[in-house]
Amino acid sequence: FVIKCKAAVAWEPKKPFSIEKVEAAPPKAHEVRIKISATGICRSDDHVMSGALTVPFPIILGHKAAGIVESVGEGVTCVKPGIRKHQALTNDK
């Protein structure tokens, strides 16, 4: 099922982010959908926002994140819904 949530969307470089409602599609095969608890902007994201790195807009930045596995696509066996992402990546139970 599709999830409706909020995201900080960048519509163009050197402009403030816009907090908007977006839809997150269910994960496809070999994908994992994470409910993000916290995220940050890395140097690459900063380059996108400054215009130094050209990417198609609009874009949702912040791939450095922590959260809970919400759902998994077909073929995913290394995590399951309800697992905190850092546990899934480190096997820290």
Side-chain angles (χ1 to χ4, degrees):
F1 61 95
V2 173
I3 291 178
K4 295 181 181 182
C5 53
K6 290 182 182 178
V9 179
W11 287 94
E12 59 184 295
K14 301 180 183 178
K15 299 288 182 182
F17 290 93
S18 172
I19 306 301
E20 301 187 21
K21 290 183 181 179
V22 297
E23 293 184 349
K28 298 176 184 171
H30 308 289
E31 292 181 343
V32 176
R33 184 164 60 183
I34 307 288
K35 180 178 181 181
I36 302 299
S37 301
T39 188
I41 302 297
C42 71
R43 190 68 179 150
S44 298
D45 295 337
D46 184 55
H47 286 315
V48 169
M49 291 310 295
S50 71
L53 182 61
T54 304
V55 299
F57 283 86
I59 189 168
I60 298 172
L61 300 172
H63 60 271
K64 306 281 187 189
I68 308 253
V69 175
E70 188 280 324
S71 55
V72 298
E74 183 181 340
V76 174
T77 59
C78 60
V79 295
K80 62 183 179 180
I83 300 286
R84 287 182 297 203
K85 187 175 181 192
H86 79 274
Q87 284 183 330
L89 295 177
T90 64
N91 280 334
D92 179 16
K93 299 180 188 204

